[in-house]
Amino acid sequence: MRRSFTFLLRPTSKQAAALTQCLEDHRQLYNAALEHRRTAYGKAGVTIGYGEQSAELKEIRKADPGGQGRWSAGSQQQTLRRLDKAFAAFFRRVKAGRKAGYPRFKGRGRFDTVQWPAVKNGASWDSQPSDRVTRVYLLGIGHVRVHRHRRVSGTVKTISVKREGARWFVVLSCDEVPAEPLPATGVVAGIDLGVASLATSSDGERFDNQRHLAACADRLAAAQRDLARKQRGSMRRRKAVARVAALHAMVRRRRLDGAHKAALALVRAYDVIVHEDLRITGMTRSASGTIEQPGRNVAQKAGLNRSILDAGWGVFLTILADKAESAGRELIAVEPRNTSRTCSRCGHCAKDNRLTQAGFQCVACGHAAHADVNAAKNILRAGLALREAARAA
């Protein structure tokens, strides 16, 4: 399998300054490459690709030995590939008739990641194996101390350094990571995602939605108001921006932690897990509409969107898929339509079956249950039917 391992970096003050300058120089390279493409196409109709820009790196490094020349050529090639991927995604969206989103220039503070190939190209993981402290070597920066809190498996292919506020992280992308299958339990389950509970299983087990963003809303609102009063370009504004970013990072880490714990509990308990194939982007689309066709219940829909995003369904399902693959569990996604309106006992589907957010009572057979548990049972039944159909085929 291919997996990523993220660790906290503990650079010295000089190393932190060098990392900051490294990000800035790579940002300038990204912007210059983007301007090169725009100018060539706008004035001459010529399309410039990664190959041409990568070939020019040698001359760029020679012309600027104290700037671009001091960093790894491999990391600069990865930055050019990043731009090339942005253009490939742009053309793919244009071809599909979606909102294009032309690649934009990166402003200060908008370029926070640099990547190195891990094979003799300016970066080396565990660069001093004789040292008790794990270190990563980065060309132009030195041997940076790493807080390695778990074992790294597989073969390290790329090394990325990421800045989050005042913190630095190293991300290792590894190939050939061995699976760690768990013993079979002989139990299957369907799970229904929600905002009252993050997930509810067909067995009735519920995983709480901690609502991390809502819990931090007052502190975020105060920090945002403080930021709005600061003069642009001032040192106080930079500090206020850092406080807001730190609060958002705290919310994100707490949400990730909750998703990891819930996903781990599920893969330990069940051999087969069935979930809804949700289109979260469409579900959280704004209901404001247009001037000609204004939306209805906009405030209510905005609150629902906020609750869905705060629950972090997408993050949870991604983590669940990774853990299921590693543990040797089977994960099945099914069509979510009418799972909350259908009776799990008799199969009758009607809008009136759903009495309240938590209450379900079938108008045909009178079956009463918690709405999320009833939906989870329908999801499980659909998943098992899909599994049998796939086996028969």
Side-chain angles (χ1 to χ4, degrees), residues 122-310:
S124 176
W125 171 247
D126 199 6
S127 57
Q128 295 179 332
S130 58
D131 193 347
R132 291 191 304 172
V133 177
T134 303
R135 299 181 187 273
V136 59
Y137 173 74
L138 305 172
L139 181 65
I141 297 162
H143 300 271
V144 186
R145 182 181 175 185
V146 180
H147 179 71
R148 186 172 70 171
H149 60 276
R150 60 171 175 155
R151 181 174 56 88
V152 175
S153 304
T155 304
V156 179
K157 303 297 289 185
T158 63
I159 299 173
S160 303
V161 170
K162 179 172 62 173
R163 177 177 59 189
E164 289 187 6
R167 296 186 177 191
W168 295 90
F169 294 89
V170 60
V171 182
L172 310 177
S173 181
C174 300
D175 274 349
E176 301 174 3
V177 178
E180 298 177 357
L182 294 174
T185 63
V187 185
V188 298
I191 58 170
D192 177 64
L193 302 182
V195 294
S197 297
L198 173 62
T200 304
S201 74
S202 52
D203 293 342
E205 185 176 2
R206 301 177 67 185
F207 297 90
D208 291 337
N209 176 17
Q210 300 294 331
R211 295 179 174 84
H212 298 292
L213 183 62
C216 195
D218 291 341
R219 294 173 64 188
L220 268 171
Q224 291 280 13
R225 287 194 298 269
D226 185 54
L227 172 62
R229 290 192 290 265
K230 298 296 185 287
Q231 183 178 356
R232 288 187 175 274
S234 67
M235 181 58 70
R236 289 185 176 182
R237 181 178 173 83
R238 293 179 188 175
K239 291 181 178 179
V241 168
R243 282 194 292 271
V244 173
L247 286 172
H248 279 292
M250 180 186 69
V251 170
R252 186 183 64 84
R253 289 194 300 270
R254 289 179 176 177
R255 187 181 292 125
L256 274 174
D257 180 66
H260 274 284
K261 289 177 179 177
L264 183 59
L266 285 168
V267 298
R268 282 176 174 172
Y270 304 109
D271 288 345
V272 179
I273 303 169
V274 187
H275 67 87
E276 300 162 288
D277 188 13
L278 298 173
R279 300 291 184 263
I280 301 171
T281 302
M283 293 174 66
T284 56
R285 187 171 290 120
S286 173
S288 57
T290 63
I291 296 177
E292 295 79 10
Q293 294 182 338
R296 294 181 297 175
N297 301 324
V298 176
Q300 182 180 0
K301 181 63 168 63
L304 177 61
N305 291 353
R306 195 179 304 113
S307 297
I308 292 174
L309 295 174
D310 190 12

Side-chain angles (χ1 to χ4, degrees), residues 339-340 342-345 360 367 369-378:
T339 54
S340 61
T342 302
C343 177
S344 60
R345 177 175 293 176
F360 180 93
H367 171 64
H370 191 285
D372 293 342
V373 176
N374 179 79
K377 290 180 178 179
N378 290 327

